Amino acid sequence: MKEKFDVTPALLRENFIEVYGQKNHIEDESGEIRMFASPARINIIGEHIDYNGGKVFPTAIDKYLYCAIRKRSDTKIVYNDLFFPGTFTFDINDDFKFEKSNDYANFLNGILCCMKKRGFDFPCGFEVLIASNVPSAGGISSSSALECGFAWAVSETFGFNISRKDIALMGQQSEHEFMNVNCGIMDQYIIATGKKGTAEILDCAKIEHEYVPLNLGEYNFVVMNTKKQRRLADSKYNERRAQCEEGLAILRGSGLDIPDLCSMTPDVFAQKGGAIKDDVIFRRVRHCVTEMDRVLRAVDALRANNLAQLGRLLYDSHASLKDDYEVTGFELDTLVSLASEQKGCIGARMTGAGFGGCAIALVNQNDAENFMRNVQDGYTKAVGYEGGFFACSSGDGVKEIFC
């Protein structure tokens, strides 16, 4: 793996020409190099409720994966990555299958498989060079950025005109059917549909969204990466889903007519939750109910420019994920605790699946450098290795870049 550095579209174009040459055999404009960008994302609030009928509140951020693409005159497909060694070569007429040895190319082939299933026809092959400024395996959706950025690049290059919503659904379909990962829709959806200066309140059940202005004034989000491998995430995720389903069944069995856990208000849960006698199941359900309420209050806080209230809700969300849903762990708890002690920080919580990955903090821009240095120092002392930190702003969803 090559040493990473910040990538720009212009730099990627230069490297594309070094890898593939200035021209290929297509001499007209259809053989031009086209450049696309796909963002990472953070979920501001609303964790582990997407599969319980809840709404989430993500935003795309200004860390991008870039994809350069050019049609070929033959039916070959060639993938290269600026930072990862090796060239992957296929044919557009291949019957694509998941192969572990194909590494990141599986994400791309999964998208092509979905496109072909939907009847999209490829008259020729193409060549691709990818480079990313999105930290990998950190819980801010580097794989979804890859899927959706590539899907948008292929759709635009071949004139398929696939909608942003369908790009997101195709990314999810690829995860389910090709990668065998039973993911939700949030990551792909915000990456495909995000708009700079906004967050989205996303109904994952109805697959509908509403843009909410993200006016943070003097504040920015700082992403704090534990750099811990999330070995327990998949098994514990399935366990939490089963526990929530059990809680829903108990409530329905007690006579409560609800389609899902997040349909309950805190008041209804206070009246009816006693039907759940198992303490663990009770706490899992309580998280879902209170987290859904926090999402709605966070949206109201942003609309009212009440950042102090938003910050309190972030802390409350983390506490619920720690105590009721039990998906944080020492590293994430350490980051949030250290963040809460720093000047200029008004809120923090884990984001993503948990058991590692990332946390976010809402920090005054004037204090961000000291914040990151101080939390880094405390984190290293506590866990024995460094974390990763960067400040970010909102960003646009998948788009073409002209340079």
Side-chain angles (χ1 to χ4, degrees):
M1 179 176 174
K2 296 181 183 177
E3 184 176 350
K4 288 206 71 171
F5 51 86
D6 284 342
V7 181
T8 65
L11 185 60
L12 187 61
R13 179 183 288 275
E14 290 177 14
N15 279 269
F16 186 98
I17 293 169
E18 285 185 18
V19 173
Y20 295 114
Q22 180 70 46
K23 292 184 178 181
N24 59 20
H25 296 297
I26 300 179
E27 298 296 341
D28 61 19
E29 64 181 15
S30 67
E32 67 178 337
I33 303 168
R34 298 179 69 174
M35 311 284 295
F36 296 86
S38 181
R41 67 96 184 107
I42 57 173
N43 189 25
I44 297 172
I45 198 165
E47 222 63 73
H48 284 283
I49 59 173
D50 54 331
Y51 51 86
N52 287 298
K55 296 178 181 179
V56 293
F57 196 41
T59 183
I61 63 173
D62 57 350
K63 292 288 183 180
Y64 290 95
L65 175 143
Y66 297 103
C67 177
I69 184 171
R70 181 171 65 186
K71 288 182 179 179
R72 294 176 59 95
S73 60
D74 54 21
T75 57
K76 269 189 177 182
I77 300 170
V78 186
Y79 304 137
N80 277 283
D81 188 287
L82 189 57
F83 298 124
F84 291 89
T87 298
F88 294 94
T89 303
F90 305 92
D91 191 283
I92 195 58
N93 298 310
D94 285 347
D95 182 17
F96 297 108
K97 301 290 185 185
F98 177 89
E99 296 285 349
K100 187 176 181 180
S101 60
N102 286 337
D103 198 28
Y104 72 85
N106 282 304
F107 291 101
L108 312 183
N109 287 345
I111 292 294
L112 294 181
C113 187
C114 292
M115 287 182 172
K116 292 172 77 172
K117 283 182 178 178
R118 295 185 182 205
F120 292 106
D121 180 57
F122 290 84
C124 64
F126 55 90
E127 48 207 15
V128 165
L129 181 63
I130 292 163
S132 179
N133 293 326
V134 178
S136 62
I140 57 173
S141 296
S142 55
S143 60
S144 294
L146 176 61
E147 291 165 342
C148 293
F150 175 73
W152 188 255
V154 171
S155 174
E156 293 296 291
T157 298
F158 285 91
F160 294 160
N161 298 316
I162 302 172
S163 72
R164 291 178 178 274
K165 181 176 180 178
D166 282 340
I167 288 289
L169 291 170
M170 196 175 293
Q172 184 190 39
Q173 178 188 358
S174 174
E175 291 273 8
H176 288 183
E177 298 178 3
F178 196 87
M179 303 298 292
N180 198 29
V181 175
N182 187 27
C183 68
I185 190 63
M186 179 186 73
D187 293 349
Q188 292 87 353
Y189 198 94
I190 185 62
I191 287 168
T193 64
K195 289 184 180 180
K196 185 176 178 61
T198 71
E200 289 181 9
I201 182 164
L202 170 60
D203 187 321
C204 296
K206 296 180 180 178
I207 314 183
E208 297 174 352
H209 73 281
E210 178 183 354
Y211 292 109
V212 178
L214 189 60
N215 299 320
L216 298 180
E218 296 181 349
Y219 288 81
N220 273 340
F221 283 108
V222 172
V223 176
M224 308 180 290
N225 189 345
T226 64
K227 292 193 174 180
K228 176 189 177 184
Q229 293 297 316
R230 296 179 296 172
R231 297 183 181 90
L232 294 175
D234 290 341
S235 62
K236 294 297 184 181
Y237 173 86
N238 292 333
E239 180 182 81
R240 295 301 182 277
R241 288 195 73 147
Q243 290 166 339
C244 290
E245 289 166 3
E246 183 177 346
L248 179 60
I250 292 169
L251 290 167
R252 285 173 172 171
S254 72
L256 189 59
D257 184 17
I258 52 172
D260 49 61
L261 293 179
C262 290
S263 297
M264 276 189 298
T265 64
D267 287 344
V268 171
F269 180 67
Q271 296 169 15
K272 305 293 185 180
I276 304 173
K277 304 304 181 185
D278 183 283
D279 178 64
V280 172
I281 303 300
F282 180 86
R283 287 186 288 112
R284 302 297 188 254
V285 173
R286 180 168 62 187
H287 167 73
C288 296
V289 174
T290 58
E291 185 78 347
M292 181 67 251
D293 183 62
R294 283 186 286 271
V295 169
L296 299 178
R297 289 193 287 146
V299 172
D300 289 342
L302 267 174
R303 286 174 169 157
N305 292 316
N306 190 344
L307 295 184
Q309 171 68 357
L310 175 62
R312 287 190 290 270
L313 291 166
L314 296 182
Y315 284 133
D316 290 347
S317 174
H318 186 85
S320 181
L321 288 158
K322 175 178 181 287
D323 299 327
D324 279 355
Y325 222 66
E326 298 181 287
V327 292
T328 58
F330 176 70
E331 292 82 4
L332 286 166
D333 292 338
T334 297
L335 284 176
V336 171
S337 177
L338 288 167
S340 71
E341 299 168 357
Q342 306 306 315
K343 179 185 176 184
C345 179
I346 59 173
R349 74 175 198 91
M350 62 152 273
T351 185
F355 302 105
C358 288
I360 57 172
L362 190 55
V363 182
N364 191 293
Q365 297 169 13
N366 296 324
D367 299 305
E369 289 299 323
N370 285 335
F371 171 90
M372 288 187 280
R373 182 172 58 252
N374 292 342
V375 177
Q376 177 74 280
D377 288 346
Y379 183 75
T380 304
K381 290 176 183 176
V383 305
Y385 56 85
E386 290 187 346
F389 298 81
F390 64 87
C392 62
S393 300
S394 61
D396 286 314
V398 289
K399 61 183 178 180
E400 185 163 8
I401 299 290
F402 300 93
C403 64

